[in-house]
Amino acid sequence: MIRRASLVLVGALMGATAMSVIYSAGVPAEAAGASTYKELSVFGDVFERVRAQYVTPPAEDKLIENAINGMLSSLDPHSSYMNAKDAADMQTQTRGEFGGLGIEVTMEDELVKVITPIDDTPAAKAGVLAGDYISEIDGQSVRGLKLEDAVEKMRGPVNTPIKLTLIRKGADKPIELTVVRDVVAVQAVKSRVEDDVGYLRVISFTEKTYPDLEKAIEKIKKTVPADKLKGYVLDLRLNPGGLLDQAIQVSDALLQRGEVVSTRGRNADETRRWNAGPGDLTDGKPVIVLINGGSASASEIVAGALQDLRRATVLGTRSFGKGSVQTIIPLGENGALRLTTALYYTPSGRSIQGTGITPDIKVEEPLPDDLKGKMVTEGESSLRGHIKGQSETDEGSGSVAYVPPDPKDDVQLNYALDLLRGKKTDPSFPPNPDKAVSSAK
């Protein structure tokens, strides 16, 4: 089994910008020509004019930051500049832990609604309950705030206090709680047993994903005897990506051999390949992978590897289709540069850039009446200025990204369970590893 790989991230633009990067200390560059420096002098002239003569004094740091982002956004949707705060936030996301309270939240009626407090976290210990509404944070109303702004206010240094004002159904007046922030580990993998099937949902690819997956599979094995366990469902729906290192390890956890993924850059000598080693955590049990339009990049790497090597059957709808890799170039105290430097390829040599992963078994997830006509199908191919994939067609990539909150209503999941239990049959299940497709030489 692969235990370490290059520290690389891959991801997609899905609502908020998800991570899609390779960490690098520096990238060699060729000197620009004289004409380029002449054009740069024009930029300097324009900057001075704006700084000196614009109707109101502009923030000079913002002018420069916006100019840099304008240059990068003209390349593709995933290249960008991150200031020091954004770069720090990205590193926090990849670690999978942060200083905070430990609650999953959403926005409802201009208030922050608690979906659930995470077990054994400051919020749970302080008495925050699912269904509570947070109306004030440190005495300031949350009305008018965006959800991400409210979340930012609740995060902070470990061992610092924060006062929450809660509105709770059945309580005759608001409840005030003081919660002391602590290190909160974000669960990367959620699991449960569906009678005789192990269910594994990979939420994101952080540094905790493979360890969480390993623990989840071990827990399922202890719960269901091997002779009763029909197989596993690996749910990658709504997974926007993350660390390539973890995508490789998750793939390798289910493989005995074969190429997992390759990346190819501007020059031929920049091609890199990663292979799986012996050792299957599931002991060869059948696996069905679920994907939809919210499955992007790192999750597409896993789905593509398991599909090409015929280790798993992929079920659902077409994935997002982000097949590019970004290098993160640290700029010291000035943040970091995120620059697209390569495309990644599945074991068969296919680039999914702008096309996505096509499932072996297409199963649409019906939308509830209140969402019909309101959900837009988006994919990499619909992003303005995206890099056109070598196999991209007018059909494009992506599909509706919806998963019902109640598993009983989940058509895709229940289809997978029926396949594993033999209630349904399909030529694609179980796949034949002897017919694996690989371009590796």
Side-chain angles (χ1 to χ4, degrees):
M1 299 287 289
I2 296 173
R3 287 293 173 265
R4 290 298 300 164
S6 172
L7 184 58
V8 180
L9 295 87
V10 285
L13 294 176
M14 304 281 292
T17 303
M19 301 159 292
S20 37
V21 297
I22 300 174
Y23 280 99
S24 173
V27 176
E30 296 179 3
S35 61
T36 301
Y37 287 111
K38 183 178 179 180
E39 293 296 328
L40 285 173
S41 70
V42 174
F43 169 78
D45 290 343
V46 173
F47 174 79
E48 284 301 323
R49 289 286 184 178
V50 172
R51 187 187 66 81
Q53 298 181 0
Y54 188 67
V55 62
T56 56
E60 296 179 16
D61 57 341
K62 285 296 181 184
L63 278 179
I64 295 173
E65 184 174 327
N66 290 335
I68 293 171
N69 268 320
M71 174 177 62
L72 294 170
S73 64
S74 71
L75 299 174
D76 69 84
H78 306 293
S79 293
S80 64
Y81 168 73
M82 294 179 288
N83 58 34
K85 180 180 179 301
D86 292 339
D89 287 346
M90 184 203 66
Q91 290 178 333
T92 297
Q93 291 179 55
T94 63
R95 285 196 301 269
E97 60 183 34
F98 56 89
L101 310 182
I103 49 177
E104 295 181 13
V105 295
T106 187
M107 208 77 178
E108 188 175 294
D109 298 328
E110 292 191 284
L111 298 176
V112 176
K113 182 179 181 180
V114 178
I115 299 173
T116 183
I118 301 171
D119 291 341
D120 200 32
T121 60
K125 293 175 181 177
V128 177
L129 302 178
D132 284 348
Y133 289 87
I134 300 173
S135 60
E136 294 182 5
I137 300 173
D138 280 335
Q140 294 185 339
S141 174
V142 302
R143 293 184 185 277
L145 290 180
K146 295 180 180 178
L147 179 61
E148 53 266 34
D149 295 332
V151 169
E152 185 66 25
K153 283 181 175 292
M154 289 187 281
R155 290 185 178 179
V158 172
N159 295 326
T160 58
I162 181 173
K163 186 171 74 174
L164 301 179
T165 302
L166 307 176
I167 297 174
R168 181 176 294 168
K169 186 176 181 180
D172 56 2
K173 62 180 180 179
I175 299 169
E176 292 189 354
L177 294 176
T178 297
V179 187
V180 179
R181 297 179 180 94
D182 201 350
V183 174
V184 176
V186 179
Q187 193 173 4
V189 178
K190 292 187 176 181
S191 65
R192 63 177 183 267
V193 169
E194 293 276 355
D195 296 325
D196 52 1
V197 174
Y199 173 82
L200 303 161
R201 181 189 168 209
V202 181
I203 300 165
S204 60
F205 289 89
T206 70
E207 292 176 8
K208 298 184 177 296
T209 302
Y210 178 80
D212 281 1
L213 180 74
E214 193 173 30
K215 291 174 186 175
I217 292 175
E218 189 61 33
K219 184 178 179 181
I220 289 169
K221 285 181 178 180
K222 289 179 179 179
T223 305
V224 185
D227 60 337
K228 302 292 185 183
L229 188 61
K230 293 290 195 299
Y232 293 84
V233 173
L234 182 65
D235 193 346
L236 300 177
R237 295 173 299 176
L238 306 182
N239 184 320
L243 286 161
L244 174 60
D245 161 82
Q246 295 295 307
I248 293 167
Q249 291 190 48
V250 168
S251 301
D252 186 36
L254 306 173
L255 293 167
Q256 294 278 11
R257 62 186 179 277
E259 181 179 297
V260 174
V261 66
S262 64
T263 60
R264 306 175 197 177
R266 182 167 167 174
N267 303 311
D269 59 2
E270 295 173 353
T271 297
R272 302 185 65 189
R273 299 181 185 278
W274 289 267
N275 296 302
D280 179 349
L281 294 184
T282 66
D283 301 320
K285 291 287 186 181
V287 176
I288 293 178
V289 177
L290 301 182
I291 62 170
N292 64 10
S295 307
S297 223
S299 51
E300 292 175 292
I301 286 174
V302 175
L306 299 179
Q307 183 182 58
D308 281 0
L309 299 177
R310 302 295 190 263
R311 174 61 185 92
T313 297
V314 178
L315 184 152
T317 55
R318 188 188 295 269
S319 63
F320 189 83
K322 181 188 174 295
S324 62
V325 182
Q326 284 68 44
T327 298
I328 289 298
I329 306 168
L331 301 174
E333 63 182 18
N334 296 315
L337 169 64
R338 172 167 34 199
L339 189 66
T340 300
T341 55
L343 297 177
Y344 67 79
Y345 295 77
T346 69
S348 64
R350 57 178 167 150
S351 166
I352 62 166
Q353 174 67 12
T355 60
I357 297 290
T358 301
D360 300 305
I361 304 173
K362 183 178 180 181
V363 178
E364 301 274 2
E365 192 71 64
L367 290 174
D369 291 339
D370 61 333
L371 291 180
K372 288 179 180 177
K374 297 179 181 178
M375 292 194 72
V376 179
T377 300
E378 286 192 350
E380 177 75 13
S381 61
S382 67
L383 296 180
R384 183 179 179 182
H386 77 282
I387 298 172
K388 189 172 179 64
Q390 66 179 33
S391 302
E392 186 175 339
T393 66
D394 291 342
E395 187 178 354
S397 62
S399 61
V400 171
Y402 172 72
V403 177
D406 190 335
K408 295 194 299 293
D409 302 325
D410 193 334
V411 172
Q412 293 169 338
L413 171 59
N414 285 295
Y415 199 107
L417 295 175
D418 285 346
L419 282 171
L420 287 165
R421 292 168 179 155
K423 295 180 180 179
K424 281 186 169 67
T425 61
D426 189 278
S428 298
F429 180 80
N432 185 352
D434 293 334
K435 295 184 178 180
V437 183
S438 176
S439 68
K441 294 180 174 59

